[in-house]
Amino acid sequence: MDERMNTKLEVLTKDEEANQKIYEAAGIILRRGGLVAFPTETVYGLGGDALNPWASARIYEAKGRPSDNPLIVHIADVKALEELASEVPQEAYTLAEKFWPGPLTMILKKKECVPKATTGGLDTVAIRMPNHPVALELIRTSKVYIAAPSANLSGRPSPTKASHVKEDLFGRIDMILDGGEGEIGIESTIIDLTSPIPTILRPGFITKEALESVLSKVVVDPAIDTITKGYTKNTDASLHPKAPGMKYRHYAPKGDMMIVEHQGDASICTEKEVEKIAQLLQKAKDAGHSTAVLATEETKEKYPLADHVLVLGKRNEPQTISSKLFDILRQCDTLGVEEIFSESFERSEEEYAIMNRLVKAAGGKILLVE
Ligand code: TXA
Ligand code: MG
Protein backbone atom coordinates (compact mmCIF):
# COMPACT_ATOMS: atom_id res chain seq x y z
CA MET A 1 0.00 0.00 0.00
CA ASP A 2 1.31 3.40 -1.03
CA GLU A 3 0.71 5.43 2.10
CA ARG A 4 1.31 8.66 0.21
CA MET A 5 -1.60 8.13 -2.10
CA ASN A 6 -3.32 11.36 -3.09
CA THR A 7 -6.81 11.25 -1.54
CA LYS A 8 -9.22 13.72 -3.17
CA LEU A 9 -11.77 15.32 -0.84
CA GLU A 10 -14.98 16.35 -2.59
CA VAL A 11 -17.84 18.13 -0.85
CA LEU A 12 -21.31 17.73 -2.34
CA THR A 13 -23.30 20.97 -2.29
CA LYS A 14 -26.56 22.33 -3.72
CA ASP A 15 -24.79 22.94 -7.06
CA GLU A 16 -26.12 19.96 -9.05
CA GLU A 17 -23.86 20.61 -12.02
CA ALA A 18 -20.74 20.54 -9.84
CA ASN A 19 -22.06 17.42 -8.08
CA GLN A 20 -22.51 15.66 -11.41
CA LYS A 21 -18.85 16.24 -12.23
CA ILE A 22 -17.86 14.78 -8.87
CA TYR A 23 -20.02 11.66 -9.44
CA GLU A 24 -18.47 11.19 -12.87
CA ALA A 25 -14.93 11.42 -11.49
CA ALA A 26 -15.85 9.00 -8.68
CA GLY A 27 -17.38 6.62 -11.24
CA ILE A 28 -14.15 6.56 -13.24
CA ILE A 29 -12.19 5.68 -10.09
CA LEU A 30 -14.62 2.86 -9.23
CA ARG A 31 -14.61 1.39 -12.74
CA ARG A 32 -10.80 1.35 -12.66
CA GLY A 33 -10.78 -0.63 -9.43
CA GLY A 34 -10.13 2.37 -7.14
CA LEU A 35 -11.72 3.24 -3.80
CA VAL A 36 -14.25 5.98 -3.01
CA ALA A 37 -15.67 6.61 0.47
CA PHE A 38 -19.26 7.87 0.45
CA PRO A 39 -22.05 8.71 2.90
CA THR A 40 -25.08 6.53 3.58
CA GLU A 41 -27.94 7.04 6.03
CA THR A 42 -26.21 4.70 8.49
CA VAL A 43 -22.43 5.24 8.34
CA TYR A 44 -19.89 6.15 5.64
CA GLY A 45 -18.93 3.27 3.34
CA LEU A 46 -15.58 2.53 1.71
CA GLY A 47 -16.64 1.65 -1.83
CA GLY A 48 -15.06 -0.43 -4.56
CA ASP A 49 -16.38 -2.40 -7.56
CA ALA A 50 -18.04 -5.45 -5.96
CA LEU A 51 -17.49 -7.64 -9.02
CA ASN A 52 -13.77 -6.83 -9.26
CA PRO A 53 -11.75 -9.05 -6.88
CA TRP A 54 -8.79 -6.64 -6.99
CA ALA A 55 -10.96 -3.77 -5.83
CA SER A 56 -12.19 -5.86 -2.89
CA ALA A 57 -8.62 -6.82 -2.03
CA ARG A 58 -7.73 -3.13 -1.94
CA ILE A 59 -10.64 -2.43 0.43
CA TYR A 60 -9.32 -5.01 2.91
CA GLU A 61 -5.84 -3.57 2.61
CA ALA A 62 -6.93 0.05 3.13
CA LYS A 63 -9.00 -0.85 6.22
CA GLY A 64 -6.49 -3.32 7.64
CA ARG A 65 -9.41 -5.76 7.78
CA PRO A 66 -9.15 -9.55 8.13
CA SER A 67 -10.03 -11.00 4.72
CA ASP A 68 -12.52 -13.54 6.14
CA ASN A 69 -14.85 -10.66 6.96
CA PRO A 70 -17.23 -10.24 3.98
CA LEU A 71 -18.32 -6.95 2.41
CA ILE A 72 -21.86 -5.62 1.81
CA VAL A 73 -22.80 -5.01 -1.84
CA HIS A 74 -24.76 -1.78 -2.35
CA ILE A 75 -27.36 -1.54 -5.11
CA ALA A 76 -29.74 1.16 -6.37
CA ASP A 77 -32.40 -1.01 -8.02
CA VAL A 78 -34.23 -4.10 -6.73
CA LYS A 79 -33.59 -5.79 -10.09
CA ALA A 80 -29.95 -6.14 -9.04
CA LEU A 81 -31.04 -8.88 -6.60
CA GLU A 82 -31.36 -11.30 -9.50
CA GLU A 83 -27.99 -10.25 -10.93
CA LEU A 84 -26.18 -11.00 -7.67
CA ALA A 85 -28.16 -13.76 -5.94
CA SER A 86 -28.71 -17.26 -7.30
CA GLU A 87 -31.96 -17.66 -5.37
CA VAL A 88 -34.21 -14.79 -4.39
CA PRO A 89 -36.89 -15.99 -1.97
CA GLN A 90 -40.26 -14.21 -1.78
CA GLU A 91 -39.23 -12.83 1.65
CA ALA A 92 -36.48 -10.80 -0.02
CA TYR A 93 -38.98 -9.00 -2.23
CA THR A 94 -41.33 -8.47 0.71
CA LEU A 95 -38.53 -6.93 2.77
CA ALA A 96 -37.26 -4.84 -0.16
CA GLU A 97 -40.76 -3.48 -0.75
CA LYS A 98 -41.15 -2.46 2.88
CA PHE A 99 -37.64 -1.38 3.92
CA TRP A 100 -35.61 -0.42 0.82
CA PRO A 101 -34.03 1.92 0.27
CA GLY A 102 -33.05 1.75 3.93
CA PRO A 103 -30.82 0.35 6.69
CA LEU A 104 -31.45 -3.34 6.01
CA THR A 105 -28.93 -5.82 4.57
CA MET A 106 -30.05 -9.22 3.30
CA ILE A 107 -27.87 -12.32 3.08
CA LEU A 108 -28.67 -14.48 0.03
CA LYS A 109 -26.96 -17.27 -1.93
CA LYS A 110 -24.49 -15.64 -4.29
CA LYS A 111 -24.21 -15.98 -8.04
CA GLU A 112 -20.94 -16.94 -9.73
CA CYS A 113 -20.31 -13.32 -10.82
CA VAL A 114 -19.77 -12.20 -7.22
CA PRO A 115 -16.15 -13.00 -6.41
CA LYS A 116 -15.24 -14.75 -3.18
CA ALA A 117 -12.81 -11.89 -2.60
CA THR A 118 -15.92 -9.79 -1.92
CA THR A 119 -17.77 -12.36 0.21
CA GLY A 120 -14.85 -13.32 2.42
CA GLY A 121 -14.79 -16.78 0.83
CA LEU A 122 -18.50 -17.47 1.54
CA ASP A 123 -21.14 -18.76 -0.92
CA THR A 124 -23.53 -16.08 0.28
CA VAL A 125 -23.63 -12.37 -0.45
CA ALA A 126 -24.83 -9.42 1.65
CA ILE A 127 -26.93 -6.90 -0.29
CA ARG A 128 -28.34 -3.51 0.69
CA MET A 129 -30.02 -0.55 -1.01
CA PRO A 130 -29.00 2.52 1.00
CA ASN A 131 -31.39 5.40 1.57
CA HIS A 132 -29.07 8.29 0.84
CA PRO A 133 -29.14 10.47 -2.29
CA VAL A 134 -25.34 10.56 -2.63
CA ALA A 135 -24.96 6.78 -2.28
CA LEU A 136 -27.78 6.09 -4.74
CA GLU A 137 -26.49 8.63 -7.29
CA LEU A 138 -22.97 7.20 -7.04
CA ILE A 139 -24.21 3.66 -7.71
CA ARG A 140 -26.35 4.86 -10.64
CA THR A 141 -23.78 7.07 -12.37
CA SER A 142 -20.88 4.67 -11.86
CA LYS A 143 -23.02 1.73 -13.08
CA VAL A 144 -21.10 -0.36 -10.57
CA TYR A 145 -22.43 -2.49 -7.70
CA ILE A 146 -20.49 -1.03 -4.83
CA ALA A 147 -18.93 -3.29 -2.19
CA ALA A 148 -18.60 -1.18 0.91
CA PRO A 149 -17.71 -1.92 4.49
CA SER A 150 -17.82 0.95 6.95
CA ALA A 151 -15.08 3.45 6.03
CA ASN A 152 -13.05 3.18 9.25
CA LEU A 153 -9.79 1.46 10.06
CA SER A 154 -10.64 -2.04 11.28
CA GLY A 155 -11.57 -1.99 14.98
CA ARG A 156 -12.31 1.76 15.24
CA PRO A 157 -15.84 3.14 15.58
CA SER A 158 -17.70 3.36 12.25
CA PRO A 159 -17.52 6.82 10.65
CA THR A 160 -20.59 9.06 10.70
CA LYS A 161 -18.85 12.17 9.32
CA ALA A 162 -16.44 12.72 6.42
CA SER A 163 -13.91 13.99 8.99
CA HIS A 164 -13.93 10.53 10.65
CA VAL A 165 -13.13 8.91 7.29
CA LYS A 166 -10.33 11.41 6.75
CA GLU A 167 -8.92 10.65 10.20
CA ASP A 168 -8.69 6.93 9.40
CA LEU A 169 -8.16 6.60 5.64
CA PHE A 170 -6.54 9.76 4.27
CA GLY A 171 -3.62 8.75 2.04
CA ARG A 172 -4.97 5.18 1.76
CA ILE A 173 -7.89 5.63 -0.70
CA ASP A 174 -8.62 7.61 -3.88
CA MET A 175 -11.53 9.84 -2.92
CA ILE A 176 -13.80 10.85 -0.05
CA LEU A 177 -17.26 12.23 -0.85
CA ASP A 178 -18.46 14.52 1.93
CA GLY A 179 -22.25 14.43 2.13
CA GLY A 180 -22.72 15.50 5.74
CA GLU A 181 -23.81 13.37 8.69
CA GLY A 182 -25.90 10.20 8.42
CA GLU A 183 -29.26 10.33 10.20
CA ILE A 184 -29.15 6.88 11.73
CA GLY A 185 -25.53 6.58 12.75
CA ILE A 186 -25.28 2.84 13.42
CA GLU A 187 -24.80 0.17 10.77
CA SER A 188 -27.66 -1.60 8.99
CA THR A 189 -29.62 -4.50 10.41
CA ILE A 190 -28.37 -7.72 8.77
CA ILE A 191 -30.90 -10.49 8.13
CA ASP A 192 -29.86 -13.91 6.87
CA LEU A 193 -32.47 -15.30 4.47
CA THR A 194 -30.52 -18.49 3.76
CA SER A 195 -31.27 -20.02 7.18
CA PRO A 196 -34.54 -21.93 7.75
CA ILE A 197 -35.91 -19.10 9.90
CA PRO A 198 -34.81 -15.56 8.89
CA THR A 199 -32.08 -14.66 11.37
CA ILE A 200 -30.80 -11.27 12.50
CA LEU A 201 -26.99 -11.40 12.39
CA ARG A 202 -26.48 -7.77 13.37
CA PRO A 203 -29.12 -5.65 15.14
CA GLY A 204 -29.79 -2.19 13.74
CA PHE A 205 -32.39 0.51 13.44
CA ILE A 206 -34.81 -1.84 11.69
CA THR A 207 -35.88 -3.94 14.64
CA LYS A 208 -36.94 -7.56 15.03
CA GLU A 209 -40.48 -6.26 15.73
CA ALA A 210 -40.47 -4.26 12.48
CA LEU A 211 -39.23 -7.27 10.51
CA GLU A 212 -41.87 -9.48 12.11
CA SER A 213 -44.55 -7.08 10.92
CA VAL A 214 -43.96 -8.46 7.41
CA LEU A 215 -42.29 -11.87 8.01
CA SER A 216 -44.08 -14.28 10.29
CA LYS A 217 -41.06 -15.25 12.36
CA VAL A 218 -37.59 -13.77 12.83
CA VAL A 219 -34.92 -14.85 15.32
CA VAL A 220 -31.77 -13.13 16.59
CA ASP A 221 -28.44 -14.97 16.25
CA PRO A 222 -28.02 -16.31 19.83
CA ALA A 223 -24.38 -15.24 19.92
CA ILE A 224 -25.45 -11.62 19.30
CA ASP A 225 -28.01 -11.84 22.07
CA THR A 226 -25.31 -13.08 24.42
CA ILE A 227 -23.03 -10.16 23.60
CA THR A 228 -25.81 -7.60 23.79
CA LYS A 229 -27.23 -8.81 27.07
CA GLY A 230 -23.79 -8.85 28.63
CA TYR A 231 -21.51 -11.71 29.56
CA THR A 232 -22.70 -11.45 33.14
CA LYS A 233 -26.14 -12.86 32.32
CA ASN A 234 -27.07 -16.54 32.19
CA THR A 235 -26.30 -17.09 28.53
CA ASP A 236 -23.82 -19.29 26.75
CA ALA A 237 -20.64 -17.29 26.16
CA SER A 238 -19.15 -20.00 23.95
CA LEU A 239 -21.51 -19.17 21.05
CA HIS A 240 -19.96 -17.74 17.89
CA PRO A 241 -21.71 -15.06 15.85
CA LYS A 242 -22.65 -16.03 12.28
CA ALA A 243 -21.68 -12.71 10.72
CA PRO A 244 -17.88 -12.96 10.69
CA GLY A 245 -17.52 -9.25 11.46
CA MET A 246 -19.45 -9.50 14.71
CA LYS A 247 -16.78 -11.57 16.42
CA TYR A 248 -14.06 -8.97 16.26
CA ARG A 249 -13.30 -6.48 19.01
CA HIS A 250 -14.91 -3.32 17.78
CA TYR A 251 -15.54 0.34 18.48
CA ALA A 252 -13.52 0.28 21.68
CA PRO A 253 -12.06 3.62 22.76
CA LYS A 254 -8.49 3.59 24.08
CA GLY A 255 -9.62 4.46 27.62
CA ASP A 256 -11.14 1.89 29.94
CA MET A 257 -14.90 1.83 29.34
CA MET A 258 -17.63 0.49 31.59
CA ILE A 259 -21.41 0.47 31.33
CA VAL A 260 -23.26 1.00 34.58
CA GLU A 261 -26.63 -0.69 34.63
CA HIS A 262 -29.52 -0.94 37.03
CA GLN A 263 -32.17 -3.41 36.01
CA GLY A 264 -35.81 -3.01 36.78
CA ASP A 265 -38.26 -0.15 36.78
CA ALA A 266 -37.04 2.31 34.13
CA SER A 267 -37.97 5.34 36.22
CA ILE A 268 -35.50 4.48 38.99
CA CYS A 269 -32.82 2.90 36.76
CA THR A 270 -31.26 6.13 35.63
CA GLU A 271 -31.25 7.57 39.13
CA LYS A 272 -29.38 4.53 40.48
CA GLU A 273 -26.93 4.60 37.59
CA VAL A 274 -26.21 8.30 38.10
CA GLU A 275 -25.52 7.64 41.79
CA LYS A 276 -23.12 4.79 41.01
CA ILE A 277 -21.30 6.72 38.29
CA ALA A 278 -20.81 9.61 40.71
CA GLN A 279 -19.08 7.19 43.12
CA LEU A 280 -16.91 5.77 40.34
CA LEU A 281 -15.93 9.28 39.27
CA GLN A 282 -14.80 10.05 42.80
CA LYS A 283 -12.66 6.90 42.83
CA ALA A 284 -11.12 7.70 39.46
CA LYS A 285 -10.40 11.24 40.59
CA ASP A 286 -8.70 9.96 43.75
CA ALA A 287 -6.55 7.75 41.53
CA GLY A 288 -5.66 10.78 39.40
CA HIS A 289 -7.36 9.43 36.25
CA SER A 290 -9.08 11.61 33.66
CA THR A 291 -12.74 10.73 33.06
CA ALA A 292 -15.68 11.01 30.69
CA VAL A 293 -19.32 10.08 31.21
CA LEU A 294 -21.61 9.07 28.36
CA ALA A 295 -24.80 10.70 29.55
CA THR A 296 -28.15 11.80 28.17
CA GLU A 297 -29.89 15.19 27.85
CA GLU A 298 -31.85 14.26 30.95
CA THR A 299 -28.80 13.58 33.14
CA LYS A 300 -26.01 15.75 31.74
CA GLU A 301 -26.02 18.17 34.70
CA LYS A 302 -25.57 15.40 37.23
CA TYR A 303 -21.86 14.69 36.90
CA PRO A 304 -19.95 17.67 38.31
CA LEU A 305 -16.93 15.44 39.03
CA ALA A 306 -16.46 14.28 35.44
CA ASP A 307 -13.75 15.91 33.33
CA HIS A 308 -16.02 15.53 30.30
CA VAL A 309 -19.75 14.86 30.02
CA LEU A 310 -20.59 13.65 26.52
CA VAL A 311 -24.28 13.80 25.68
CA LEU A 312 -25.51 10.89 23.59
CA GLY A 313 -29.02 12.23 23.06
CA LYS A 314 -32.53 12.13 24.45
CA ARG A 315 -33.71 9.00 26.25
CA ASN A 316 -37.10 8.83 24.53
CA GLU A 317 -35.63 9.52 21.06
CA PRO A 318 -33.26 6.61 20.32
CA GLN A 319 -32.27 8.05 16.94
CA THR A 320 -30.70 11.07 18.65
CA ILE A 321 -28.53 8.56 20.51
CA SER A 322 -27.62 6.23 17.64
CA SER A 323 -26.66 9.14 15.38
CA LYS A 324 -24.18 10.52 17.95
CA LEU A 325 -22.81 7.29 19.43
CA PHE A 326 -19.77 6.64 17.22
CA ASP A 327 -18.76 10.29 17.12
CA ILE A 328 -18.77 10.31 20.91
CA LEU A 329 -16.68 7.13 21.13
CA ARG A 330 -14.15 8.80 18.83
CA GLN A 331 -14.22 11.94 21.00
CA CYS A 332 -13.16 9.82 23.98
CA ASP A 333 -9.93 9.09 22.08
CA THR A 334 -9.42 12.69 20.98
CA LEU A 335 -9.84 13.84 24.58
CA GLY A 336 -7.51 11.07 25.72
CA VAL A 337 -9.63 10.16 28.75
CA GLU A 338 -8.52 7.20 30.85
CA GLU A 339 -11.83 6.07 32.35
CA ILE A 340 -15.19 6.16 30.61
CA PHE A 341 -18.52 5.44 32.31
CA SER A 342 -21.72 5.03 30.34
CA GLU A 343 -25.34 4.97 31.41
CA SER A 344 -27.31 2.05 29.98
CA PHE A 345 -30.43 1.67 27.88
CA GLU A 346 -33.30 -0.77 27.56
CA ARG A 347 -32.81 -3.80 25.32
CA SER A 348 -35.94 -3.52 23.23
CA GLU A 349 -36.72 -2.05 19.81
CA GLU A 350 -34.08 0.43 18.52
CA GLU A 351 -32.33 0.53 21.87
CA TYR A 352 -31.32 -3.10 21.43
CA ALA A 353 -28.94 -2.08 18.63
CA ILE A 354 -27.61 0.83 20.68
CA MET A 355 -26.81 -1.47 23.61
CA ASN A 356 -25.22 -3.97 21.20
CA ARG A 357 -22.71 -1.31 20.05
CA LEU A 358 -22.16 0.10 23.55
CA VAL A 359 -21.47 -3.32 25.07
CA LYS A 360 -18.99 -4.11 22.28
CA ALA A 361 -17.26 -0.75 22.82
CA ALA A 362 -16.97 -1.55 26.52
CA GLY A 363 -15.54 -4.98 25.72
CA GLY A 364 -18.51 -6.54 27.55
CA LYS A 365 -17.85 -4.69 30.79
CA ILE A 366 -21.14 -4.05 32.55
CA LEU A 367 -21.37 -3.13 36.21
CA LEU A 368 -24.74 -4.18 37.59
CA VAL A 369 -25.94 -1.95 40.41
CA GLU A 370 -28.56 -2.81 42.99
O1 TXA B 1 -24.88 0.20 7.33
C1 TXA B 1 -24.07 -0.57 6.84
O2 TXA B 1 -24.32 -1.78 6.69
C2 TXA B 1 -22.70 -0.02 6.42
C3 TXA B 1 -22.92 0.94 5.24
C4 TXA B 1 -21.66 1.41 4.63
O3 TXA B 1 -23.75 0.32 4.30
N1 TXA B 1 -21.80 -1.06 6.09
C5 TXA B 1 -21.22 -1.87 7.01
O4 TXA B 1 -20.33 -2.81 6.50
O5 TXA B 1 -21.44 -1.78 8.18
P1 TXA B 1 -19.30 -3.61 7.39
O6 TXA B 1 -18.42 -4.27 6.39
O7 TXA B 1 -18.64 -2.73 8.36
O8 TXA B 1 -20.13 -4.71 8.07
C6 TXA B 1 -20.62 -5.80 7.32
C7 TXA B 1 -21.06 -6.89 8.23
C8 TXA B 1 -19.90 -7.67 8.83
O9 TXA B 1 -20.20 -7.96 10.17
C9 TXA B 1 -19.87 -8.93 7.99
O10 TXA B 1 -19.32 -10.00 8.68
C10 TXA B 1 -21.33 -9.13 7.65
O11 TXA B 1 -21.79 -7.84 7.43
N2 TXA B 1 -21.53 -9.90 6.40
C11 TXA B 1 -21.28 -9.50 5.13
N3 TXA B 1 -21.53 -10.48 4.26
C12 TXA B 1 -21.96 -11.54 4.97
C13 TXA B 1 -22.36 -12.87 4.64
N4 TXA B 1 -22.37 -13.29 3.40
N5 TXA B 1 -22.74 -13.68 5.65
C14 TXA B 1 -22.74 -13.25 6.93
N6 TXA B 1 -22.36 -12.00 7.30
C15 TXA B 1 -21.97 -11.17 6.34
MG1 MG C 1 -17.68 -2.07 10.01
Side-chain angles (χ1 to χ4, degrees):
M1 165 80 48
D2 181 0
E3 294 278 347
R4 292 151 301 153
M5 208 169 140
N6 173 22
T7 303
K8 285 199 194 75
L9 274 173
E10 299 283 8
V11 183
L12 293 148
T13 61
K14 291 212 163 66
D15 181 348
E16 283 311 323
E17 223 170 286
N19 290 351
Q20 216 44 53
K21 288 208 175 95
I22 295 172
Y23 289 126
E24 277 160 26
I28 291 171
I29 293 171
L30 289 171
R31 286 191 298 278
R32 288 182 182 160
L35 305 186
V36 177
F38 61 96
T40 82
E41 81 281 29
T42 58
V43 302
Y44 273 73
L46 172 57
D49 179 352
L51 303 188
N52 176 347
W54 304 112
S56 293
R58 290 196 56 206
I59 291 176
Y60 287 103
E61 200 181 350
K63 269 184 72 94
R65 176 174 182 144
S67 60
D68 69 339
N69 190 358
L71 309 175
I72 294 175
V73 181
H74 294 70
I75 62 172
D77 189 330
V78 182
K79 285 190 202 121
L81 277 176
E82 277 142 45
E83 304 276 328
L84 300 167
S86 62
E87 276 170 45
V88 186
Q90 183 50 45
E91 284 111 321
Y93 293 110
T94 307
L95 290 174
E97 169 79 18
K98 172 96 178 167
F99 297 110
W100 277 0
L104 181 71
T105 296
M106 300 185 213
I107 308 289
L108 298 168
K109 291 207 173 104
K110 81 170 190 73
K111 262 194 175 161
E112 202 63 37
C113 66
V114 184
K116 288 210 167 164
T118 299
T119 65
L122 299 174
D123 293 321
T124 51
V125 57
I127 306 176
R128 159 164 128 85
M129 191 193 293
N131 186 17
H132 193 289
V134 175
L136 290 170
E137 195 54 34
L138 181 66
I139 302 165
R140 286 194 195 109
T141 44
S142 66
K143 300 191 167 59
V144 158
Y145 299 129
I146 303 181
S150 49
N152 51 288
L153 283 175
S154 198
R156 293 214 75 203
S158 297
T160 50
K161 296 175 175 175
S163 63
H164 298 160
V165 181
K166 200 176 151 201
E167 235 169 62
D168 282 13
L169 298 175
F170 195 80
R172 302 171 75 89
I173 64 177
D174 299 282
M175 186 181 269
I176 299 172
L177 299 182
D178 183 347
E181 277 181 65
E183 286 181 358
I184 291 177
I186 55 175
E187 310 88 339
S188 60
T189 305
I190 301 179
I191 186 162
D192 184 357
L193 295 180
T194 67
S195 47
I197 302 170
T199 305
I200 295 173
L201 304 187
R202 179 174 70 184
F205 212 74
I206 294 181
T207 62
K208 179 172 185 283
E209 292 77 10
L211 293 163
E212 281 179 334
S213 72
V214 289
L215 302 182
S216 54
K217 188 166 186 216
V218 174
V219 292
V220 180
D221 179 350
I224 297 309
D225 220 34
T226 305
I227 291 167
T228 309
K229 291 193 173 142
Y231 301 121
T232 48
K233 299 266 180 69
N234 292 328
T235 34
D236 183 356
S238 66
L239 297 167
H240 297 292
K242 234 189 125 191
M246 298 298 280
K247 70 174 182 273
Y248 294 106
R249 185 179 151 86
H250 219 279
Y251 315 130
K254 295 189 186 92
D256 206 37
M257 177 168 165
M258 182 187 278
I259 299 170
V260 176
E261 179 170 19
H262 176 89
Q263 291 166 329
D265 179 3
S267 60
I268 64 162
C269 276
T270 319
E271 221 174 284
K272 295 278 182 188
E273 289 168 13
V274 167
E275 232 171 73
K276 187 70 195 178
I277 292 173
Q279 288 171 14
L280 293 166
L281 285 169
Q282 183 64 57
K283 248 173 111 180
K285 207 179 160 88
D286 293 344
H289 294 164
S290 58
T291 55
V293 176
L294 309 196
T296 45
E297 278 299 338
E298 291 80 357
T299 56
K300 64 182 179 191
E301 313 289 354
K302 303 201 168 161
Y303 303 105
L305 280 181
D307 293 318
H308 305 276
V309 177
L310 305 172
V311 180
L312 289 165
K314 295 198 183 110
R315 283 206 162 258
N316 54 358
E317 292 175 35
Q319 199 168 329
T320 61
I321 294 170
S322 63
S323 64
K324 280 278 171 305
L325 180 59
F326 290 141
D327 183 48
I328 282 182
L329 290 173
R330 279 177 184 258
Q331 277 181 45
C332 290
D333 284 351
T334 315
L335 295 167
V337 288
E338 292 161 293
E339 293 197 47
I340 303 154
F341 305 110
S342 177
E343 295 174 8
S344 76
F345 299 91
E346 298 278 311
R347 287 182 186 76
S348 55
E349 308 274 341
E350 292 90 349
E351 294 183 2
Y352 185 90
I354 292 169
M355 275 306 274
N356 173 264
R357 306 310 192 271
L358 265 183
V359 173
K360 287 192 91 175
K365 254 183 279 161
I366 301 175
L367 181 69
L368 288 177
V369 292
E370 296 291 313

